[in-house]
Amino acid sequence: MKPNYLSTVAIAATLFAGAAAAQPVTFDYWYGLTGDLGAVVAETCNRFNASQSDYVINCVSQDGYEAAVQNTIAAFRAGQHPTIVQSFDAGTADLMLSGEFYAVSQMMADYDITIDWADYFPGISNYYAASNGDFFSMPFNSSTPVYYWNTAHFADAGLTEAPLTWEGMEAAFYALKAAGHDCPMAYAPSTWIDLEQFSMVHNIPVASNNNGYDGLDTELLFNTTLHVKHMENIQRWVNEGLLQIRTAQSGMNARDSFVQGECSIFFSSIADHNTVGKIAPEGLAWDVQMIPTYEGVERHNSVVGGASLWVLSGKTEAEYRGAAAYLAFLATADEQRFWSQNTGYIPVTDSAFQQLTAEGFYAEAPYAGREIAITSLTYTEPTELTRGIRLGGFIQIRSEWSNEIDAALSGQKTMQEALDTAVERGNAILARFARTYAGKTFP
Amino acid sequence: MRRAYFKNNWIAALVVAPQLIIIFVFFYWPASQAIYWSLTLEQPWGGGNTWVGLENFRTVLSDPVYWSSIRVSIIFALASTALAMGMAMILALFADRQLTGYRLYRVGMIWPYAIAAPAVGLAFRFVFNPNAGLFSFINTIAPETWNPTLNGTQALIMVIIAGAWKLVSYNFIFFLAALQSIPRSLTEAAAMDGAGVLRRMRDVQLPLLAPTFFFILVINITDSFTDSFGIVDTLTGGGPARATDLMVYKIYSDGFRGFDYSGAATQSVILMGLVIALTFIQFRYVERRVHYT
C-alpha cells in the first residue's frame, strides 16, 4: 500500500499536539559506572521509563565516578546540573557541607512516598545518613570488600578453608608457596581495603572525632593504630615474595592475575564477584571470604563502599517528583534483585536480602558466595568507629597514603615513617578543608 | 620594504576582533579566574570563598613535595626535549639523504603524531611491562632489574621515552621541511670541496637549521610542561611515590580529583609563570645565536 503522506503528517501532528498537552516531565541523571555496570544502570532507566508514563529519566554516563562528580560540579556552577547524580563515597564531604542537595528522606516525605528507612542495613544507612538519621542520599550500588581465593591452589597446599585471621593468612601464604604456587597473593595497595575497612573490622579509628563524624577539626590517627603493624606485615610479605604487587601499571592487575591462575588470592570489592565469574576460564575453582582480622581482636562490621544517588538543589518540583519516583522504583525488592543479579552489588535492605535468600538466589552459582558480603557488613551493630569515615579532602588523603606506601614498599623509608608523613600531610589537608568551610558543620 | 597600512582603524579592529575575542575567552578570562582563585579558598560547589591573600602560594612553595614535582617536571622537559629533538634530527637528516624507501619512511614517521597521548601511554604500558612486555627481557637476563612500578627512576625514564616518542614525529616534519628548503647547490658545492656526508651535515645543514631548531626547542619545552598529562595518567598515575608527579598532573589530581580548586589554581599560576619565564629566556638568550636568512 502506498502511504498517504499528507494524512500521515496530519495524524502525526495531532498526536504530537496531544502529547505536548500531557508531556511527561523529563529529568537528568548522571552516573559514573562504566562498561557492563554502566549498561545495567542504563537498563534500570529504561525499565523505569517503561514502567510509567509521567516521567522520563534521561540517563547520561559520565565515564567514571570522579568524572561524574567533576562534571556535575562544573555544570552546577553554570546552572546546568542534573537532578540526580551518582556520587562515590570519598567525593561527598564537599557536597554535604555545600548544602546544595535535597536530602532524600526529606524529599520522599515531601512527596508522600513511604520508604522503610529502618530496613536498610545499618552498615549502609550510617554511612549515608545525617546525625539525626535522615538520609542525605539514596544508597545505590553498594559493596564491601572480601577476598577471593583459589580453592584448587588451597587444596594443593593442604588447606580446605579460607582463613579468617591474618595469622591464618600468613600460614596459608607459606603453605601455598611451599606447594609451588609462586604468587600466593596478588597485592595492590588500597586505602579502601588496607586502611579504611581494615580499621572498621578491627574497631580502631582512622581519624579523631569518631572518624570525622563529629566535627571538622579532625586529625588522622592511623599512624598510631594496629594499621601500622598490618602495613609492616604487608611490607615483610612483599619482601618475602608472598605478596606480589600487581597493578594495571605493572601490566596485569590483581584481579586478572587471580583469574589467570597466577596468584592464589586477591582482595577486592564484592562487586568483582560478577566480573570474576564472567571472565574466569573454565575450571577455575574459587570462592570468597570475609577480610581477615588479627587474632585477639573482636571482629566488627565492615562498611559500605560504592556510590549513592544524590538529588541536587535548584530544580523544579515536577523534576523532584520524578526523581523521587525513580529512587522509590530502585528501592523496590524487584529492582534490587534485577540490580544484584546483573552486577555483583549487594541488595541494600534487609527485606530484599531475605527475599532473595528465600528464593534460593544465594544457593548456587553464579551468585553463591555473595552473601558473605552481607555477613561482613552486618557482623556487629556499627559502633562510633565503624559507622564510616567522613573526611574532607579524602581523595587527596587517600593519595597521600598511597604515595607514602609506595615509598615504603620500594624501600625509601620505613613503614612507620611513611605513615607518619601521610598523617602529617593529611592533617594539613584536613585543616585546609576546615578553613575552606569555616563555621560549617556536617549536618 | 613597503608596508601597507589600514587608513580606517575600525576595519582593522573588526578584522582582528574574532581572534582577540577567542584569546580573551579561552586564555585571559580563565587565567584571571585562576589568579583570583589562587588568592582565595574556593568551595567547589560554589558556596563562596575566603580571601587569603598570598597564603596559597606560601603553602605550595613551602611544600617539599611541590618542589620535587617542579624538579621532576624540569628533568622531564629537558630530557624528553633533548631526546625528541636529537632523534628527530638524525631521522630527518637521513630521510633527507633520499636513501632507498625514504618516501615510505617519511610518511610512516609522521603517523605517531596523530596518536592521542593516552593511547601512547597504553601502548608503552605494554612495551615497558616488567612481566610480559618488550622490556621484560631485561628481567630474564637479570631478574628484578626492571620494575617501574616500584622504582621511581625507571618510571621517570619510561615517561620520558613515551613523551619523547610522541614529539619525535612532529619535530621530524619540521626538520625535514627545513632541510629540504636548504638549496641543493650548497650541499653539492660542499661535496665538490671534498666534504663527506657527516661533515656536510655538521658544517652546512645544521647551522642552516638553527631557526627551526630554535622554534622546535620552544615548542617542545612548552609542550612537555603543559601537555604531558595523558601519558602520565595512563602510564604511571604520578607514581610510584610521586616520582612522575609532573606539575601539570599534580594540578589535575589536586584540583579535579581532590576538589582543592584554590591549591590547583595556585599551581596553575606558578606553572604559567614558569613557562612564560622559560620562553622569555629562550627568546632573550637563545634566539640571539640564531641567524634567520
Side-chain angles (χ1 to χ4, degrees):
Chain A
M1 194 183 89
K2 197 182 170 195
N4 183 332
Y5 289 112
L6 205 64
S7 68
T8 313
V9 169
I11 290 166
T14 327
L15 281 176
F16 191 73
Q23 207 170 22
V25 175
T26 303
F27 61 96
D28 287 333
Y29 164 32
W30 289 3
Y31 61 92
L33 286 173
T34 52
D36 283 354
L37 299 174
V40 185
V41 175
E43 191 52 34
T44 66
C45 299
N46 296 339
R47 288 164 68 92
F48 173 72
N49 287 338
S51 73
Q52 46 74 49
S53 57
D54 295 337
Y55 309 102
V56 173
I57 186 165
N58 178 26
C59 298
V60 185
S61 167
Q62 296 292 333
D63 203 24
Y65 280 156
E66 287 174 354
V69 178
Q70 289 157 18
N71 295 350
T72 305
I73 290 179
F76 185 85
R77 297 180 75 108
Q80 304 285 327
H81 55 288
T83 311
I84 306 177
V85 63
Q86 180 189 30
S87 177
F88 63 131
D89 46 9
T92 49
D94 281 290
L95 187 50
M96 278 181 200
L97 287 175
S98 75
E100 298 292 358
F101 62 92
Y102 192 175
V104 287
S105 46
Q106 183 64 45
M107 180 175 76
M108 293 303 189
D110 288 350
Y111 300 125
D112 294 327
I113 294 173
T114 316
I115 301 262
D116 182 6
W117 299 108
D119 193 21
Y120 284 83
F121 291 121
I124 294 177
S125 55
N126 279 288
Y127 208 98
Y128 297 124
S131 42
N132 64 4
D134 281 353
F135 278 60
F136 297 124
S137 59
M138 198 73 176
F140 180 50
N141 55 317
S142 304
S143 63
T144 209
V146 290
Y147 72 85
Y148 295 72
W149 56 291
N150 187 315
T151 50
H153 288 190
F154 271 60
D156 291 346
L159 300 164
T160 49
E161 286 196 1
L164 276 166
T165 63
W166 279 108
E167 286 79 3
M169 289 297 269
E170 186 172 18
F173 294 154
Y174 284 118
L176 285 161
K177 193 91 175 174
H181 294 290
D182 276 341
C183 170
M185 176 170 152
Y187 176 70
S190 153
T191 32
W192 186 59
I193 294 169
D194 297 332
L195 170 61
E196 299 160 34
Q197 301 283 356
F198 177 87
S199 299
M200 296 294 132
V201 295
H202 288 86
N203 195 30
I204 54 176
V206 171
S208 63
N209 278 334
N210 289 323
N211 290 334
Y213 272 61
D214 299 345
L216 291 185
D217 55 341
T218 304
E219 293 199 326
L220 299 170
L221 298 173
F222 60 73
N223 61 336
T224 60
T225 66
L226 190 58
H227 176 64
V228 181
K229 180 188 151 198
H230 178 55
M231 293 315 295
E232 284 170 352
N233 281 337
I234 288 201
Q235 182 166 29
R236 181 166 56 83
W237 294 328
V238 168
N239 291 340
E240 290 177 21
L242 300 172
L243 269 56
Q244 289 191 11
I245 295 177
R246 296 293 174 103
T247 59
Q249 275 82 21
S250 72
M252 196 192 279
N253 65 24
R255 186 184 66 203
D256 292 342
S257 306
F258 176 79
V259 170
Q260 304 290 329
E262 279 186 27
C263 300
S264 312
I265 300 171
F266 88 107
F267 280 60
S268 182
S269 153
I270 189 69
D272 262 342
H273 196 280
N274 192 45
T275 321
V276 171
K278 271 188 189 162
I279 63 176
E282 194 74 28
L284 185 80
W286 59 282
D287 204 349
V288 291
Q289 178 62 289
M290 283 192 283
I291 58 172
T293 54
Y294 279 93
E295 274 171 16
V297 179
E298 192 195 343
R299 175 187 286 275
H300 281 69
N301 64 292
S302 60
V303 290
V304 66
S308 63
L309 303 182
W310 290 76
V311 179
L312 299 176
S313 62
K315 292 289 169 177
T316 64
E317 190 191 321
E319 286 168 309
Y320 284 137
R321 280 189 188 279
Y326 176 67
L327 296 182
F329 173 79
L330 286 182
T332 59
D334 277 352
E335 284 312 306
Q336 287 196 50
R337 182 196 305 113
F338 173 79
W339 179 245
S340 298
Q341 258 170 5
N342 290 286
T343 65
Y345 291 108
I346 55 174
V348 287
T349 59
D350 191 40
S351 59
F353 175 62
Q354 297 303 343
Q355 193 184 325
L356 286 173
T357 313
E359 289 170 4
F361 180 82
Y362 293 109
E364 51 194 292
Y367 309 116
R370 292 191 196 174
E371 71 283 357
I372 290 282
I374 308 280
T375 315
S376 171
L377 204 56
T378 58
Y379 202 84
T380 55
E381 278 297 308
T383 69
E384 305 246 284
L385 293 177
T386 67
R387 284 180 296 186
I389 295 168
R390 202 158 283 178
L391 298 178
F394 198 20
I395 297 166
Q396 285 172 297
I397 294 172
R398 279 180 167 175
S399 129
E400 295 294 347
W401 182 92
S402 305
N403 279 314
E404 291 303 324
I405 296 300
D406 279 353
L409 290 179
S410 61
Q412 292 171 29
K413 46 175 87 168
T414 68
M415 197 49 89
Q416 182 71 53
E417 285 166 356
L419 291 171
D420 287 346
T421 314
V423 162
E424 188 191 325
R425 297 186 58 81
N427 283 340
I429 294 168
L430 283 171
R432 186 175 167 82
F433 183 83
R435 285 188 57 210
T436 307
Y437 291 97
K440 294 195 177 179
T441 49
F442 284 120
Chain B
M1 189 194 278
R2 274 189 48 182
R3 288 188 184 214
Y5 291 98
F6 283 104
K7 291 230 168 54
N8 187 336
N9 280 330
W10 283 108
I11 293 176
L14 209 65
V15 171
V16 295
Q19 181 68 21
L20 285 180
I21 289 169
I22 287 172
I23 292 177
F24 178 80
V25 169
F26 290 102
F27 180 71
Y28 287 104
W29 187 70
S32 64
Q33 196 76 4
I35 291 169
Y36 173 62
W37 280 6
S38 70
L39 301 172
T40 65
L41 284 175
E42 172 79 15
Q43 298 179 13
W45 287 86
N49 54 35
T50 331
W51 182 265
V52 292
L54 292 174
E55 189 201 293
N56 286 325
F57 288 92
R58 278 196 291 274
T59 315
V60 165
L61 293 176
S62 63
D63 183 354
V65 167
Y66 189 67
W67 283 102
S68 92
S69 176
I70 296 183
R71 191 179 62 88
V72 171
S73 301
I74 291 176
I75 294 174
F76 173 81
L78 296 181
S80 66
T81 300
L83 194 59
M85 289 179 65
M87 288 298 295
M89 181 79 83
I90 292 168
L91 292 169
L93 282 170
F94 283 94
D96 188 51
R97 287 196 24 89
Q98 313 200 341
L99 304 172
T100 327
Y102 82 100
R103 281 198 179 81
L104 257 176
Y105 176 71
R106 202 168 59 188
V107 173
M109 267 310 297
I110 290 166
W111 282 344
Y113 191 61
I115 301 175
V120 175
L122 279 178
F124 275 95
R125 193 195 273 185
F126 172 73
V127 172
F128 292 123
N129 184 335
N131 299 319
L134 297 178
F135 268 60
S136 61
F137 83 90
I138 298 180
N139 287 342
T140 345
I141 302 166
E144 314 278 316
T145 314
W146 176 254
N147 188 5
T149 19
L150 276 185
N151 186 322
T153 316
Q154 291 178 359
L156 185 58
I157 291 173
M158 185 167 86
V159 172
I160 289 170
I161 294 177
W165 184 82
K166 183 158 164 46
L167 284 172
V168 164
S169 47
Y170 179 83
N171 299 351
F172 170 81
I173 300 170
F174 278 89
F175 282 137
L176 186 64
L179 282 170
Q180 292 185 337
S181 70
I182 295 175
R184 286 281 154 213
S185 52
L186 287 180
T187 36
E188 280 160 10
M192 287 173 73
D193 286 346
V197 175
L198 291 177
R199 184 74 197 266
R200 292 202 299 271
M201 283 178 184
R202 203 177 71 220
D203 286 346
V204 178
Q205 292 174 310
L206 289 184
L208 287 169
L209 280 182
T212 312
F213 187 89
F214 175 68
F215 165 77
I216 290 288
L217 179 73
V218 174
I219 293 287
N220 277 198
I221 296 252
T222 313
D223 195 85
S224 41
F225 269 107
T226 57
D227 198 27
S228 42
F229 168 79
I231 287 170
V232 175
D233 194 39
T234 45
L235 216 48
T236 64
R242 304 189 186 89
T244 56
D245 200 6
L246 302 184
M247 290 166 84
V248 66
Y249 192 74
K250 191 167 158 52
I251 290 172
Y252 166 79
S253 43
D254 285 356
F256 291 102
R257 297 184 63 217
F259 307 123
D260 180 5
Y261 282 29
S262 298
T266 311
Q267 296 174 34
S268 302
V269 172
I270 295 174
L271 178 61
M272 189 167 75
L274 185 68
V275 172
I276 291 174
L278 276 174
T279 313
F280 177 78
I281 290 171
Q282 293 174 72
F283 272 96
R284 187 83 175 70
Y285 297 102
V286 184
E287 200 189 17
R288 280 184 176 178
R289 301 163 154 269
V290 173
H291 302 284
Y292 297 98
T293 41

